[in-house]
């Protein structure tokens, strides 16, 4: 019940009880008034009857004194008092007006009638006295009959007073009882009113208002400082306090929801900032090694407690090969066929043990009855598959929709970073390689030569250099066309690419000239390698269309540092040897002159 209803009922009950109490008090006052009126009536009637009795005895005394003394004064007084007397009805009317009942008045009339009879005898005695018959007068006034009538008059007056006393006492007693009854009722009603007020004050203001309000005030103060752990008290009754508690509970729930959303927002910002920083670092990577370091550092922070691997696609073998891993994954191997993963087949995220039933990947080791919860994310860019991100999901929790979005963003960013690196490598190779022969061009020669020279000087090893020129190359272009000349250059380039133990040491120096670096080879070994190259090229039989291009010969200049020259003069020394070979008739190998011989 609501407090307003309780208060209204209590107010109504208090008003009713107050009206009842006031009514009983008024009734008690009326009863007391009747009691007072009865007492006053008794007093008035007592006074009236007392006057009547006094009157009877006074006239008798006046008459007797005159008879005894003969003093006319007493006779005059007697006659004066008799003249003042009225008729019986008139004499008792004022007594009836004072409240005597008809029965009481009848008794009083008898007393008055007896008094009038006495007056007649008194008149007779006085007349006898005046006529000189004193003995008769005394006999009348002092005789037994006169005394009997006087006693009867007094008895009637006394009987009237007794009846009057009984009635007045009964009225006073009844009025007193009624007054006491109404007084007690009034006291009980007042007590009930006070008890009701106290109960309302205690129940409503203490139990229903004060205690809950104190608790709610503490909760409100805690909620005001964002302490949403404070729980409002349970208020089962439906009233204003219950409404307040419900409102505070809703406010707390909204605060908790707002905190949850803020926490999710902060976590989202943190995750997006982490992904952004990872993307920035990957964009700054100059090699795949740098990219692996970034992935190994950031992915465990983005996906904590989720072991995984980064796989790259090896197109030549049709395999995905591990590039790096984190947190020790155990369910998938280091390499497997690209067809073993449904994510690579479909080009979509694949999670066989998630919310939806799906087919597990063949590269994941799992029990047929209980698939392992794994996540495979294909790495794609420009609709081209580049690799795979693999995660082993924790067993005590499921990835939320937001986490899956982060995984998709992660896969997209890693895929773009790998694509950028591959594109950069492709562009670098295009910039550093000769498009016709596939060999490194002269731009790449400088860094490669510096690296080889630094290594040879540090280890104290020789470094050989072959300068090669295709003999009479202009003739191929003039006779057979430029396409035939390009075919000759491609064939020479393919042969030179395979003559060294290390790749990337054969260069197209320019036009029909080539350069080959030979680390750790002595002068004799370098000369033998040059002769072998010359012989292989001479053995080539090239054709263009249906036309035989004829034999291809080369001139070679050989120099080895530090035998023939200083390391930094290696190319120029080999170029000088090549010029001497061409001067001496071509299709030959010329060794640079030794430093001692040159100085001699």
């Amino acid at each position: 019940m609501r407090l307003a209803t309780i208060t209204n009922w209590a107010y109504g009950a208090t008003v009713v009880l107050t009206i009842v109490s006031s009514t009983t008090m008024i009734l008690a006052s009326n009863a007391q008034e009747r009691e007072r009126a009865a007492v006053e009536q008794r007093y008035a009637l007592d006074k009236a009857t007392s006057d009547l009795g006094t009157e009877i005895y006074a006239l008798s005394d006046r008459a007797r004194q005159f008879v005894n003394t003969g003093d006319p004064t007493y006779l005059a007084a007697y006659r004066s008092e008799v003249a003042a007397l009225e008729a019986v009805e008139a004499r008792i009317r004022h007594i009836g007006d004072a409240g005597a009942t008809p029965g009481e008045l009848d008794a009083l009339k008898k007393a008055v009638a007896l008094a009038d009879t006495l007056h007649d005898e008194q008149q007779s005695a006085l007349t006898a006295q005046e006529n000189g018959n004193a003995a008769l007068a005394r006999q009348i006034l002092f005789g037994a009959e006169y005394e009997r009538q006087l006693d009867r008059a007094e008895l009637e007056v006394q009987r009237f007073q007794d009846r009057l006393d009984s009635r007045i006492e009964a009225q006073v007693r009844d009025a007193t009882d009624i007054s006491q009854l109404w007084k007690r009722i009034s006291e009980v009603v007042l007590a009930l009113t006070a008890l009701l007020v106290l109960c309302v004050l205690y129940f409503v203001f203490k139990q229903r208002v004060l205690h809950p309000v104190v608790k709610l005030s503490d909760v409100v103060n805690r909620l005001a400082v964002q302490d949403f752990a404070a729980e409002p008290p349970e208020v089962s009754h439906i009233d204003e306090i219950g409404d307040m508690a419900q409102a505070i509970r809703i406010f707390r729930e909204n605060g908790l929801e707002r905190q949850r959303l803020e926490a999710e927002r902060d976590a989202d910002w943190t995750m997006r900032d982490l992904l952004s920083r990872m993307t920035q670092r990957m964009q700054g990577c100059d090699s795949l090694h740098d990219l692996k370091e970034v992935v190994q550092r950031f992915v465990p922070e983005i996906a904590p407690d989720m072991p995984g691997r980064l796989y790259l696609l090896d197109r030549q073998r049709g395999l995905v090969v591990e590039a790096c891993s984190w947190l020790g994954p155990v369910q998938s191997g280091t390499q497997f066929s690209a067809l073993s993963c449904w994510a690579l087949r479909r080009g979509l995220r694949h999670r066989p043990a998630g919310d939806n039933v799906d087919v597990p990947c063949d590269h994941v080791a799992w029990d047929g009855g209980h698939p392992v919860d794994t996540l495979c994310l294909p790495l794609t860019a420009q609709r081209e598959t580049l690799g795979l991100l693999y995660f082993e999901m924790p067993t005590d929790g499921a990835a939320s929709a937001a986490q899956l979005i982060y995984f998709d963003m992660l896969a997209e960013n890693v895929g773009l970073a790998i694509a950028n690196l591959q594109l950069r490598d492709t562009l670098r190779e295009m910039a550093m390689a000769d498009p016709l022969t596939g060999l490194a061009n002269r731009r790449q020669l400088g860094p490669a030569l510096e690296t080889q020279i630094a290594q040879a000087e540090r280890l104290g090893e020789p470094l050989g250099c072959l300068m090669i020129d295709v003999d009479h190359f202009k003739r191929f272009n003039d006779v057979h066309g430029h396409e035939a000349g390009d075919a000759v250059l491609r064939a020479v380039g393919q042969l030179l690419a395979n003559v060294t133990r290390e790749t990337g040491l054969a260069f197209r120096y320019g036009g029909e000239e080539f350069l080959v670096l030979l680390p750790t080879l002595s002068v004799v070994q370098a000369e033998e390698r040059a002769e072998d190259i010359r012989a292989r090229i001479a053995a080539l039989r090239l054709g263009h269309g249906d036309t035989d291009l004829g034999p291809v010969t080369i001139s070679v200049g050989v120099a080895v540092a530090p035998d023939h020259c200083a390391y930094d003069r290696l190319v120029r020394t080999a170029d000088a040897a090549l010029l001497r070979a061409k001067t001496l008739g071509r299709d030959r190998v010329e060794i640079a002159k030794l430093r001692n011989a040159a100085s001699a």
Side-chain angles (χ1 to χ4, degrees), residues 252-262:
R252 174 178 176 269
E253 291 174 356
N254 291 337
L256 290 173
E257 182 65 15
R258 185 170 64 254
Q259 278 190 339
R260 185 187 67 80
L261 293 176
E262 289 177 353

Side-chain angles (χ1 to χ4, degrees), residues 18 20 136 174 191 216 242 246 254 262 271 287 293 448 464 512 535:
T18 303
V20 173
L136 179 59
D174 292 342
L216 291 176
Q246 181 65 19
N254 291 337
E262 289 177 353
M271 186 63 66
S287 64
E293 294 292 331
E512 66 273 18

Side-chain angles (χ1 to χ4, degrees), residues 142-155:
F142 293 99
E145 184 63 26
Y146 185 86
E147 289 293 337
R148 268 195 312 273
Q149 291 181 355
L150 184 61
D151 290 338
R152 286 179 60 190
E154 182 181 2
L155 180 61

Side-chain angles (χ1 to χ4, degrees), residues 10-63:
Y11 176 76
T14 304
V15 170
V16 171
L17 290 175
T18 303
I19 293 173
V20 173
S21 175
S22 301
T23 304
T24 55
M25 291 180 68
I26 293 173
L27 293 174
S29 177
N30 292 336
Q32 290 178 349
E33 184 65 24
R34 288 195 300 272
E35 179 185 357
R36 185 183 62 80
V39 172
E40 290 179 352
Q41 185 184 44
R42 179 178 183 178
Y43 172 77
L45 292 174
D46 284 344
K47 185 176 182 301
T49 54
S50 176
D51 291 343
L52 180 60
T54 301
E55 174 190 316
I56 295 172
Y57 284 106
L59 290 176
S60 294
D61 288 342
R62 297 283 189 277

Side-chain angles (χ1 to χ4, degrees), residues 122-428:
Q122 291 167 2
Q123 289 291 338
S124 299
L126 291 176
T127 301
Q129 180 68 26
E130 288 178 345
N131 294 328
N133 189 359
L136 179 59
R138 285 189 182 90
Q139 183 182 0
I140 295 172
L141 292 177
F142 293 99
E145 184 63 26
Y146 185 86
E147 289 293 337
R148 268 195 312 273
Q149 291 181 355
L150 184 61
D151 290 338
R152 286 179 60 190
E154 182 181 2
L155 180 61
E156 291 297 333
V157 172
Q158 185 64 40
R159 186 178 296 169
F160 168 76
Q161 288 182 336
D162 289 341
R163 293 181 64 179
L164 180 64
D165 288 342
S166 297
R167 181 177 64 82
I168 296 301
E169 286 179 0
Q171 289 181 349
V172 170
R173 185 170 54 254
D174 292 342
T176 302
D177 292 342
I178 292 174
S179 176
Q180 290 295 330
L181 177 61
W182 288 122
K183 183 178 179 181
R184 290 190 185 94
I185 293 175
S186 176
E187 291 174 349
V188 170
V189 172
L190 286 174
L192 289 176
T193 304
L195 181 62
L196 176 62
V197 172
L198 290 176
C199 289
V200 169
L201 288 176
Y202 177 81
F203 179 74
V204 174
F205 291 100
K206 186 174 182 181
Q207 297 297 326
R208 293 286 294 271
V209 176
L210 184 60
H211 287 175
V213 165
V214 170
K215 295 179 180 179
L216 291 176
S217 176
D218 178 66
V219 172
V220 169
N221 290 332
R222 293 177 63 183
L223 293 179
V225 295
Q226 305 296 315
D227 181 12
F228 293 106
E231 294 188 7
E234 291 293 336
V235 181
S236 58
H237 42 266
I238 301 175
D239 56 11
E240 290 79 0
I241 301 299
D243 293 343
M244 291 173 58
Q246 181 65 19
I248 293 173
R249 188 175 295 106
I250 293 173
F251 177 79
R252 174 178 176 269
E253 291 174 356
N254 291 337
L256 290 173
E257 182 65 15
R258 185 170 64 254
Q259 278 190 339
R260 185 187 67 80
L261 293 176
E262 289 177 353
E264 290 183 357
R265 181 197 61 191
D266 293 341
D268 181 69
W269 285 353
T270 301
M271 186 63 66
R272 289 180 182 274
D273 178 69
L274 194 60
L275 287 170
S276 176
R277 286 190 288 116
M278 179 182 178
T279 301
Q280 292 176 355
R281 302 304 182 272
M282 289 190 298
Q283 290 176 350
C285 291
D286 191 54
S287 64
L288 187 59
H289 175 74
D290 296 339
L291 180 65
K292 296 176 184 178
E293 294 292 331
V294 172
V295 170
Q296 285 181 316
R297 178 66 183 88
F298 279 88
V299 172
E301 299 296 329
I302 296 173
D305 302 326
M306 295 184 186
R309 282 189 172 95
L310 169 64
Y311 293 97
L312 296 180
L313 179 62
D314 185 346
R315 298 184 183 281
Q316 292 182 350
R317 297 187 297 168
L319 300 176
V320 284
V321 182
E322 176 188 320
C324 63
S325 64
W326 52 90
L327 303 178
V330 296
Q331 303 296 334
S332 181
T334 57
Q335 65 178 20
F336 52 85
S337 170
L339 298 177
S340 300
C341 181
W342 283 97
L344 295 178
R345 288 188 185 185
R346 299 165 55 237
L348 298 173
R349 180 179 65 212
H350 188 73
R351 186 183 178 193
D355 296 333
N356 298 320
V357 177
D358 211 330
V359 180
C361 297
D362 291 338
H363 66 91
V364 178
W366 61 282
D367 182 1
H370 300 86
V372 180
D373 192 2
T374 59
L375 178 65
C376 296
L377 299 166
L379 303 179
T380 60
Q382 300 296 326
R383 301 180 181 179
E384 181 181 0
T385 301
L386 305 174
L388 178 71
L389 267 179
Y390 165 79
F391 291 96
E392 295 177 359
M393 310 301 287
T395 57
D396 56 349
S400 64
Q403 286 180 311
L404 294 178
I405 293 176
Y406 298 144
F407 286 140
D408 291 339
M409 295 173 61
L410 174 64
E412 181 180 358
N413 292 339
V414 173
L416 289 176
I418 294 174
N420 290 336
L421 279 177
Q422 292 181 351
L423 177 61
R424 187 182 304 174
D425 292 341
T426 300
L427 294 175
R428 182 184 292 116

Side-chain angles (χ1 to χ4, degrees), residues 73 101 372 381 577:
T73 304
T101 63
V372 180

